[in-house]
Amino acid sequence: MAVLFGNGDGTFFDPTDPLASPIGVSVGDGPVSVAVADLDGDTNSDIVTANQLGSDVSVLLGNGDGSFEDPVEYGVGLSPQSVAVADLDGDTFPDLVTANQSSDDVSVLLGNGDGTFQAPVCSTPPEPTDPAECPFATGDTPVSVTVADFDGDDVLDLATANRASDDVSVLLGNGDGTFGAAMSFAVGFLPRSVAAGDVDGDTANDLVVANFRGDDVSVLVGNGDGTFRDANSYVVGLGPQSVAVADLDDDGALDVVTANADANQVADLLNLRGASAPVTSGAPVPLLSPLGLALLALLLAAAGAGVAGRPRRPRAAR
């Protein structure tokens, strides 16, 4: 894992200095996803990585000066591809969730508030000793996980993008770190990344999925009860690998940005919030343009750092 110290102006260390380089930090075997959050309540940023070859996560507590304590590993399911941080049981402490592609499930590790974590929560007792036997099942080959409140009960839920079954799985939270059975919603061809946000302005969270072989994104508008309407697809460019949502044009509506691996570019889709077409595609942005670099920074922050807090948005009475 590499750490690049910021200069405060959007740049990172001096690339013309032959002695300047990213700081390497050792973690587990085969890290593929990273999230940043304060895991132990000391106001310092800490790091967690999902390690696909080790089938575990590494937790590195920050010292506040850019250095980190030695990593501590916690076992999860098989070949985790994505990690997110959120308070999943309502105790105000950050918890972890991973999407495990080779065991077709997610692992939930509840935090103790001091930077340590409990063994993965099991969907059914008794709890086995092998973390891989504590699953919450998803679709086939989950490669991305996001956290949001999808049913308006102020409890965080999960959604995964499932590469082999061309769908997303939605698992509604019970508020204690456990989750209900997965519901499946079809998306495009070979989904690789999922993001959540209210893209249509109705206060209910929606899903946006990057489909690697479909060269598009699927937008699933949420009904506010944990279910979603049929997906609408929007072409973005060749091989989208990652997706993030944010207000890119300061109009108060969430927009979509994708990293397109086969085109070496990022694409932004500006949101017009139409009743039948909530998103409209903009032209792809070259990766090395100023806007492209800004959008890439957004993707890096969102794709790696799946961090969610408790829901704060008011909900309509149901």
Side-chain angles (χ1 to χ4, degrees):
M1 183 188 71
V3 177
L4 290 75
F5 295 118
N7 297 319
D9 59 358
T11 64
F12 297 85
F13 68 87
D14 184 358
T16 65
D17 183 353
L19 299 179
S21 63
I23 304 300
V25 180
S26 295
V27 293
D29 197 4
V32 291
S33 177
V34 62
V36 179
D38 179 11
L39 301 176
D40 58 356
D42 63 356
T43 73
N44 296 330
S45 291
D46 309 308
I47 293 174
V48 56
T49 64
N51 309 316
Q52 66 172 349
L53 299 181
S55 292
D56 56 22
V57 294
S58 295
V59 174
L60 299 89
L61 299 182
N63 297 316
D65 59 0
S67 66
F68 296 85
E69 299 292 328
D70 290 339
V72 177
E73 274 73 44
Y74 297 87
V76 294
L78 299 179
S79 190
Q81 296 294 299
S82 176
V83 62
V85 182
D87 177 14
L88 299 175
D89 60 353
D91 63 357
T92 75
F93 299 146
D95 309 309
L96 306 179
V97 58
T98 62
N100 309 314
Q101 72 166 358
S102 295
S103 49
D104 297 335
D105 54 33
V106 292
S107 295
V108 176
L109 292 80
L110 300 182
N112 297 315
D114 59 359
T116 65
F117 293 85
Q118 302 171 34
V121 176
C122 290
S123 54
T124 57
E127 295 192 2
T129 57
D130 183 355
E133 297 178 15
C134 284
F136 293 97
T138 64
D140 296 340
T141 316
V143 292
S144 177
V145 62
T146 192
V147 184
D149 178 12
F150 296 123
D151 58 355
D153 62 355
D154 290 334
V155 172
L156 290 177
D157 311 307
L158 307 177
T160 64
N162 306 317
R163 186 178 64 188
S165 50
D166 294 338
D167 58 16
V168 292
S169 294
V170 174
L171 297 84
L172 299 183
N174 297 317
D176 59 357
T178 65
F179 294 84
M183 298 179 287
S184 296
F185 301 91
V187 294
F189 187 22
L190 207 69
R192 294 298 296 267
S193 178
V194 60
D198 177 16
V199 299
D200 63 349
D202 66 352
T203 75
N205 278 311
D206 312 305
L207 291 173
V208 182
V209 180
N211 303 308
F212 180 67
R213 283 298 170 224
D215 299 331
D216 58 15
V217 294
S218 296
V219 177
L220 296 89
V221 174
N223 295 316
D225 59 359
T227 64
F228 294 82
R229 302 176 201 170
D230 291 343
N232 291 315
S233 297
Y234 303 90
V235 174
V236 293
L238 300 178
Q241 286 263 20
S242 183
V243 65
V245 294
D247 183 5
L248 301 176
D249 54 359
D250 292 327
D251 65 351
L254 290 180
D255 309 303
V256 175
V257 58
T258 62
N260 303 327
D262 291 347
N264 295 325
Q265 64 183 190
V266 292
D268 65 306
L269 290 76
L270 299 182
N271 190 340
L272 300 183
R273 277 194 179 165
S276 60
V279 180
T280 185
S281 177
V285 180
L287 180 60
L288 295 182
S289 69
L291 178 57
L293 291 174
L295 296 176
L296 179 60
L298 172 65
L299 277 169
L300 290 173
V307 180
R310 301 297 298 159
R312 300 183 186 208
R313 186 169 55 239
R315 300 284 181 166
R318 296 167 37 218

